[in-house]
Amino acid sequence: MESRVKKTCYELKDHGVLHHHGAEDRWSLSVFKKKFHVEIIRHGEESDTMEFDMINLDCSFANAVRRILVSEVPSLAIERVYVSQNTSIMPDEVMCHRLGLIPLAVDPKYFLFPTRKPPASDDLSGFDPKEHLVYDMRVGFTHSSKDSHNKPGKDKDDTLPVAQYLPVYSSDLKWIPLTGQEDHFNINNPPIPVSSTILINKLALGDEIEARCVAVKGIGRDHAKFSPVAAAYYKFHPIIKLLRTIEGEQAVKLQKSFASGVIGINSKTGQAFVDNARLDNGSREHMRHPEFRDDVIFVGMDSSHCIFTVETIAPGSRPPSSLVRCALGVMISKCSHYMAVTETPGFGDHVEECKPLIDIPKDNTESHTTEKNLLFPKGNRSHLNGREVGLEVVHITHDKSRATFTFFGEDHTLGLALRYCILRDESVSFCGYCVPHPLEDMINFDIQMKKGSAIDALRNGLQCLRDCFQHMKQTFISAMKISRSTRKSS
């Protein structure tokens, strides 16, 4: 699979962005593997944030990594709370909501996605140790203690009663091990919340709370509480070029127009120079000055050089690097799954006549018989990464040169990157996709061929995308090893 692509550079203007297309270059999987590389800029073993560069890749790949980090990397969170007693001022549903948002320092690889809803009873025998993580919370404020917080009343009269309360923290969640869970967790490494000081509630004198909490494995697409990242974003690497010599007072003014460290001034000549374009934040402040217009300075972005920042919510148990590896693995599993579907015997072969939506004159009927319709039963679905997914051929011509596919349980994460790979095939004349409705968890994919089968083009595109992400994952792992060895030697 080989095609030509144009490298795009974006130039920042007063009220928008200009696209500058560079020279055409050949694109193939071998070329991608040769040119793509990763640079680790900032990372620590116990740090919650890492910064790294992915260079020489299309932005559809970068956006897929970002979207998977936010919404498809699994984690555990409290899903069901059995409240036996709650006499605090906080309603049950509010307290349960707060419990669900407590991040847990638990590696989800030890658990399976839930196959059924949690049981109606909180009896431990009803929970599956491979799907459920159980916590108990029993807190009561029955007498004044050193743990309570005293708040004096408005008056300073000692005869007035003193308001007291007992804070309930995430440390009050006590893990209840189910059968076999001690093999993965122990007293020295229990599955506890990320922080022990997350405030859940406050109890007045005489209040008590008794509840059993059940955590399950999920992804951010189902609920934001399952998202393992506090932040995951990328930006294009800035490009700043001085088109003529700038010195003296103008050099100082130019330096102040950019973020600190972007523009430097030579101490001997007084001339401005680009010190570190990476630090630019795209403020366009220099455009406020007429003397710094187009013929003086060029400010743009390199769309093939992406600067990633990933911040984890659990730096100890799930460092940012592990989340990136997992995100790349999610895309690989998607492609492998759908490739297996397209290789299923009979996929695209058993074609039925498509009944026209309007009456067609008998003399023109033959011109419409080339269009066929193939609908697999809705029961032909499977589960991938905790969600119901499926791939169906919705519409296909008799020679299979044009087809419409529906991916159930997918969105732009797969659609944009897969479209990019399919269009690299020179036998494809058209490839596009759409999300029919924001509330519909599906995308429609349309492929039209110059020659060959649309099903083969889809299969080849999935294989190309899988191979690209496999190479990205291996390159990222290698870059992490180099970063660790460099840090140890220094």
Side-chain angles (χ1 to χ4, degrees):
M1 183 181 294
E2 184 173 306
S3 66
R4 289 185 174 273
V5 294
K6 290 184 178 181
K7 187 174 181 179
T8 302
C9 173
Y10 299 100
E11 181 182 2
L12 299 183
K13 306 299 289 184
D14 292 18
H15 303 288
V17 179
L18 290 182
H19 293 203
H20 296 282
H21 295 288
E24 285 190 347
D25 193 10
R26 287 196 172 275
W27 191 98
S28 65
L29 183 59
S30 59
V31 172
F32 175 78
K33 290 182 177 180
K34 183 178 180 180
K35 292 186 175 182
F36 174 78
H37 64 282
V38 176
E39 294 181 2
I40 307 299
I41 306 301
R42 177 165 51 93
H43 178 256
E45 295 299 332
E46 298 299 326
S47 174
D48 60 351
T49 305
M50 76 173 299
E51 183 179 333
F52 62 94
D53 292 7
M54 285 189 171
I55 305 170
N56 292 325
L57 83 164
D58 188 74
C59 60
S60 62
F61 288 7
N63 196 43
V65 175
R66 179 193 66 83
R67 291 174 65 95
I68 294 174
L69 280 168
V70 172
S71 61
E72 295 193 54
V73 172
S75 66
L76 270 79
I78 293 174
E79 178 72 5
R80 179 67 64 90
V81 180
Y82 303 88
V83 181
S84 302
Q85 181 72 285
N86 176 25
T87 59
S88 70
I89 194 174
M90 184 178 293
D92 291 355
E93 59 271 20
V94 177
M95 185 181 69
C96 294
H97 179 71
R98 293 179 64 84
L99 287 168
L101 294 177
I102 295 176
L104 303 177
V106 183
D107 194 334
K109 68 180 181 181
Y110 300 120
F111 295 88
L112 303 175
F113 285 99
T115 55
R116 56 186 176 87
K117 293 183 178 180
S121 171
D122 65 349
D123 187 81
L124 291 178
S125 61
F127 299 118
D128 188 342
K130 295 182 179 180
E131 296 182 1
H132 301 132
L133 197 59
V134 181
Y135 297 90
D136 275 359
M137 183 172 64
R138 292 184 174 89
V139 186
F141 188 18
T142 56
H143 61 278
S144 180
S145 66
K146 62 180 180 180
D147 294 329
S148 64
H149 291 247
N150 297 326
K151 287 188 174 182
K154 294 182 179 180
D155 297 329
K156 296 183 179 180
D157 189 350
D158 294 337
T159 60
L160 294 177
V162 177
Q164 294 180 329
Y165 65 85
L166 178 69
V168 181
Y169 293 110
S170 53
S171 58
D172 292 311
L173 288 170
K174 306 301 180 183
W175 171 51
I176 307 299
L178 300 178
T179 304
Q181 290 186 346
E182 297 91 339
D183 298 337
H184 305 302
F185 309 104
N186 52 56
I187 192 171
N188 297 321
N189 183 33
I192 59 176
V194 170
S195 173
S196 61
T197 58
I198 300 175
L199 184 63
I200 301 174
N201 202 344
K202 290 183 179 181
L203 303 183
L205 192 61
D207 287 346
E208 61 178 325
I209 295 176
E210 184 175 346
R212 172 158 289 174
C213 308
V214 181
V216 299
K217 186 176 180 179
I219 58 176
R221 286 186 68 180
D222 295 329
H223 196 286
K225 66 183 179 182
F226 291 111
S227 182
V229 294
Y233 59 91
Y234 72 93
K235 67 174 184 177
F236 296 144
H237 194 288
I239 301 174
I240 301 177
K241 297 179 181 179
L242 301 183
L243 305 181
R244 67 174 178 84
T245 302
I246 302 175
E247 55 188 0
E249 294 182 358
Q250 283 196 341
V252 176
K253 183 184 291 187
L254 180 66
Q255 186 182 47
K256 292 181 179 180
S257 299
F258 286 87
S260 177
V262 175
I263 301 296
I265 299 178
N266 191 303
S267 58
K268 295 181 179 180
T269 63
Q271 294 181 355
F273 64 93
V274 180
D275 188 11
N276 188 357
R278 184 188 187 88
L279 301 177
D280 181 50
N281 53 20
S283 67
R284 295 183 172 93
E285 179 67 20
H286 68 284
M287 296 181 182
R288 294 164 59 92
H289 308 290
E291 59 268 32
F292 299 142
R293 284 296 176 176
D294 299 340
D295 58 338
V296 177
I297 185 171
F298 174 88
V299 179
M301 298 175 291
D302 184 358
S303 63
S304 65
H305 187 156
C306 299
I307 302 174
F308 273 86
T309 302
V310 179
E311 181 181 355
T312 179
I313 61 172
S317 60
R318 304 191 73 187
S321 58
S322 68
L323 299 181
V324 176
R325 292 196 305 270
C326 184
L328 296 170
V330 168
M331 179 60 83
I332 295 171
S333 65
K334 283 176 181 282
C335 296
S336 298
H337 175 80
Y338 292 120
M339 282 179 62
V341 174
T342 61
E343 294 168 357
T344 303
F347 184 81
D349 291 339
H350 304 290
V351 184
E352 299 178 358
E353 292 287 344
C354 177
K355 184 178 180 180
L357 298 178
I358 59 175
D359 292 333
I360 302 174
K362 292 183 179 180
D363 55 346
N364 292 333
T365 303
E366 292 183 359
S367 63
H368 293 268
T369 56
T370 57
E371 302 294 328
K372 307 291 182 178
N373 189 38
L374 175 62
L375 289 175
F376 282 90
K378 290 187 177 181
N380 190 21
R381 306 283 174 82
S382 57
H383 282 80
L384 177 67
N385 200 27
R387 294 178 63 84
E388 185 182 65
V389 298
L391 171 59
E392 298 177 359
V393 183
V394 178
H395 188 267
I396 193 169
T397 57
H398 75 288
D399 59 355
K400 299 183 181 179
S401 63
R402 180 178 179 180
T404 301
F405 307 90
T406 296
F407 287 87
F408 294 94
E410 299 294 346
D411 55 12
H412 298 287
T413 303
L414 176 68
L416 193 61
L418 179 58
R419 173 183 174 272
Y420 177 83
C421 288
I422 292 176
L423 285 175
R424 305 284 73 77
D425 188 345
E426 292 186 343
S427 63
V428 175
S429 62
F430 173 81
C431 178
Y433 78 96
C434 70
V435 178
H437 191 277
L439 298 180
E440 291 284 346
D441 196 16
M442 57 186 284
I443 57 175
N444 291 331
F445 229 93
D446 193 77
I447 301 175
Q448 185 169 341
M449 307 293 295
K450 299 175 185 176
K451 58 180 180 179
S453 168
I455 295 177
D456 291 340
L458 176 65
R459 186 184 301 114
N460 294 337
L462 288 167
Q463 182 174 356
C464 175
L465 182 59
R466 183 190 65 178
D467 293 344
C468 287
F469 269 74
Q470 284 178 339
H471 178 69
M472 290 168 63
K473 185 176 181 179
Q474 292 300 322
T475 305
F476 180 81
I477 293 173
S478 300
M480 284 299 302
K481 291 180 180 179
I482 295 173
S483 176
R484 290 192 181 100
S485 61
T486 303
R487 190 167 57 249
K488 288 180 180 179
S489 61
S490 60

